[in-house]
Amino acid sequence: MTLYESLASELKAQIDRGLFGEGDKLPSVRQLSAEHHVSIATVQEAYRVLESQMYVEAKPKSGYFVSSNSTLNNTPKMTKPPQRPMDVSQWEDVLNMLLNTFNKDSDIETRCQFQHAMPNMTAKTLKPLTKRLHELTKNRPLDGMVYGDVKGDRNLRKQLSRLTAASGCRLQSDEFIVTSGCQEALSVCLRAVADAGDVIVVESPGFYGAMQAIKGANLKALEIPTDSETGLSLDALKLALDQWPVKAILVAPTVNNPQGFVMPDDKKKALYDMAREYDVAIIEDDIYGDIAYSYPRPRTVKSFDEDGRVLLCSSFSKTLAPGFRVGWIAPGSFRNKVLHAKYVSSSMCPTLPQLAIASYIEQGGYDKHIRAMRHYYLSARDALRADIKRYFPTDTCVSYPQGGYVLWVELNTKYDAVKLADKAKEYGIYIAPGQLFSATGKYRNCLRFNFIDGSQEVRTESIKLLGALIETLA
């Protein structure tokens, strides 16, 4: 990211957070130049970018002001899910979305796939990884044919120990178990901590894969309201723990899917303390944590764990590529149960991807890639939010992700996102309607967007078309 792009992004963030309201005068060119130690030309170029995105407007001899068409300050409201444990539904809807993503039989040319959550897999920073995988396939093919360690490759687990230290954890290599992606990690953890019929607390809205893992284990989901900026409502969680026999809390507090929030550290600590008070486990999904925009990356709930009740799950599916199917668990005191559940689930994981990723991390390729992707995703986020402001109804609410590459859009309740998704398919645009992210099919007026599929031009044109389609549904 160039200096002017970085400055423009910082100013946009300040506007989005309400530090500058509609019509407010922004700092002068000379003031910003002095404060940020950049040239006047850099500041002018940053303001030019903001003008083109309709964030600011220049007034002759007066300076720059927040535009009346500035970015959406409205973020989604605190959710209001059902207040009792529920059976998870929506499998057919999830399956249909997956089929639309990967098995296209339609003659309609695909314009843009907003519905999936896959990373940028064309980045040059991934080339050392693919090269290493090719070398292993060529020179050590037997390593990919024999049984490996049920816990996972030793060197990979050693590298995981180093990576998780960045989130505040102090974990040894023997404390990790490698899985076939984070989906298996969540499923294994649920089976390790709960029995059929038990109640699992989840964020609402929450990741549909986690919901389906709950369904697959014959558990019940108790949805807890979330704030789109700070995450799970601890007040609502306490009421739920007082009322229901909760067995575990399944959360994604760092770069949440679908809203993108990062729960503040003090709130993460309070969440852990509450789980300890009520003696329940926490299954922490940290799959997007490494691509939080802030540096150093945010802490995990696991970093506060003193008694092994937090089962930390993650994967390289969202940071590198989903096809490697390399995930992992740091299961704490549930290690033996998790290891048995993992063995029963899939025995050992493929070896070569583990070896390649371990080498990639060890040689510094992973850190370099993550740094590049943070900037790439941040720029794409700002561009999509600007497009939504420009082309969607004025009362639309949009989350403000603090990492990753998905965001949550809340339309007026008069609009049906399921109907919009069906209509959009006719134009080759695929979106994920909100009911997928609830155990019971709530949020039919909401959508989750991936903001990196295709080129910027294609995404802008697709959002423009979706905005026109929305108006036809009123």
Side-chain angles (χ1 to χ4, degrees):
M1 183 180 293
T2 64
L3 285 175
Y4 74 83
E5 288 175 326
S6 179
L7 179 57
S9 178
E10 182 174 338
L11 288 171
K12 280 188 285 187
Q14 292 174 356
I15 294 170
D16 285 336
R17 292 168 181 163
L19 296 181
F20 297 102
E22 183 177 312
D24 285 353
K25 185 175 182 179
L26 292 162
S28 70
V29 171
R30 291 188 180 279
Q31 181 181 342
L32 287 177
S33 174
E35 289 178 355
H36 293 269
H37 306 290
V38 297
S39 68
I40 288 177
T42 295
V43 178
Q44 289 173 330
E45 186 63 16
Y47 272 137
R48 186 196 64 77
V49 170
L50 294 176
E51 278 190 282
S52 69
Q53 295 180 354
M54 302 173 64
Y55 276 74
V56 307
E57 54 187 348
K59 296 182 179 180
K61 299 182 180 181
S62 297
Y64 291 92
F65 295 78
V66 178
S67 171
S68 57
N69 293 316
S70 61
T71 188
L72 280 164
N73 293 323
N74 291 336
T75 53
K77 308 172 187 66
M78 177 72 79
T79 58
K80 297 179 180 179
Q83 297 179 342
R84 63 186 186 281
M86 307 285 284
D87 291 323
V88 176
S89 55
Q90 311 307 314
W91 165 238
E92 293 300 327
D93 294 323
V94 171
L95 178 61
N96 287 337
M97 188 192 71
L98 295 175
L99 293 177
N100 284 332
T101 302
F102 302 111
N103 301 300
K104 291 195 172 301
D105 297 322
S106 172
D107 293 330
I108 300 173
E109 182 179 356
T110 299
R111 184 190 302 258
C112 196
Q113 295 200 56
F114 287 118
Q115 87 278 27
H116 58 60
M118 289 195 289
N120 176 13
M121 292 175 285
T122 63
K124 293 180 180 180
T125 45
L126 286 176
K127 287 185 177 180
L129 174 58
T130 55
K131 180 181 179 182
R132 182 58 178 151
L133 187 61
H134 174 74
E135 291 171 349
L136 288 167
T137 304
K138 180 180 179 180
N139 301 322
R140 297 170 58 180
L142 284 177
D143 287 347
M145 299 181 188
V146 299
Y147 284 118
D149 190 327
V150 66
K151 300 186 298 296
D153 175 69
R154 177 176 293 275
N155 191 35
L156 176 60
R157 289 185 282 118
K158 178 181 177 182
Q159 299 307 317
L160 291 175
S161 177
R162 184 180 72 80
L163 288 183
T164 53
S167 70
C169 294
R170 296 182 179 179
L171 301 169
Q172 303 302 313
S173 59
D174 285 343
E175 296 182 72
F176 294 92
I177 297 171
V178 178
T179 61
S180 295
C182 197
Q183 185 65 37
E184 184 186 41
L186 296 176
S187 298
V188 163
C189 287
L190 286 167
R191 295 200 300 274
V193 304
D195 298 315
D198 283 341
V199 177
I200 306 297
V201 158
V202 294
E203 297 155 323
S204 184
F207 173 48
Y208 56 78
M211 300 287 187
Q212 294 306 314
I214 290 172
K215 178 181 178 67
N218 295 313
L219 304 168
K220 293 185 180 296
L222 177 55
E223 297 183 69
I224 301 297
T226 59
D227 179 89
S228 66
E229 296 182 15
T230 62
L232 195 75
S233 167
L234 296 185
D235 289 339
L237 175 60
K238 181 171 176 56
L239 289 174
L241 292 172
D242 283 335
Q243 186 174 3
W244 303 101
V246 173
K247 204 61 177 286
I249 302 166
L250 197 165
V251 288
T254 306
V255 190
N256 166 271
N257 177 9
Q259 297 192 84
F261 59 74
V262 173
M263 182 183 283
D265 284 350
D266 59 345
K267 197 171 179 181
K268 288 176 180 174
K269 176 64 163 58
L271 171 62
Y272 168 74
D273 289 341
M274 193 178 297
R276 192 171 185 175
E277 177 185 352
Y278 286 86
D279 194 24
V280 299
I282 296 176
I283 301 173
E284 181 178 11
D285 180 354
D286 191 54
I287 194 168
Y288 292 95
D290 281 352
I291 46 177
Y293 303 143
S294 60
Y295 183 82
R297 61 146 291 165
R299 292 183 64 171
T300 54
V301 177
K302 180 70 174 177
S303 69
F304 298 103
D305 190 11
E306 297 177 354
D307 58 0
R309 72 177 59 251
V310 181
L311 300 89
L312 180 63
C313 302
S314 191
S315 168
F316 295 101
S317 295
K318 304 304 183 184
T319 53
L320 299 178
F324 289 122
R325 306 313 304 145
V326 177
W328 52 267
I329 308 167
S333 62
F334 296 90
R335 182 177 183 276
N336 290 339
K337 289 184 177 180
V338 165
L339 190 58
H340 179 259
K342 158 62 185 169
Y343 175 75
V344 171
S345 173
S346 62
S347 186
M348 297 82 178
C349 296
T351 306
L352 290 183
Q354 296 182 60
L355 295 175
I357 290 173
S359 176
Y360 183 62
I361 298 171
E362 191 171 20
Q363 295 175 11
Y366 183 77
D367 287 341
K368 182 178 180 181
H369 176 69
I370 292 301
R371 288 195 299 269
M373 291 304 97
R374 284 184 185 129
H375 292 305
Y376 178 77
Y377 297 146
L378 175 59
S379 178
R381 177 204 67 181
D382 291 341
L384 186 66
R385 293 187 88 246
D387 286 340
I388 291 172
K389 168 60 181 176
R390 182 175 299 180
Y391 297 116
F392 276 31
T394 56
D395 57 354
T396 301
C397 297
V398 187
S399 70
Y400 192 81
Q402 297 302 299
Y405 38 79
V406 296
L407 57 73
W408 185 249
V409 173
E410 180 185 294
L411 300 171
N412 188 296
T413 54
K414 67 182 179 181
Y415 301 115
D416 189 324
V418 178
K419 293 181 179 178
L420 176 62
D422 289 339
K423 189 69 175 175
K425 291 176 189 177
E426 300 175 12
Y427 298 86
I429 301 173
Y430 295 85
I431 54 179
Q435 98 278 5
L436 300 176
F437 301 87
S438 167
T440 56
K442 285 178 62 65
Y443 311 119
R444 285 184 69 96
N445 62 313
C446 298
L447 306 157
R448 188 197 69 178
F449 282 88
N450 175 310
F451 43 80
I452 63 166
D453 186 71
S455 67
Q456 180 58 58
E457 181 181 5
V458 167
R459 293 195 295 271
T460 296
E461 288 302 314
S462 298
I463 290 294
K464 183 177 181 180
L465 179 53
L466 283 175
L469 291 176
I470 289 172
E471 295 298 345
T472 69
L473 299 176

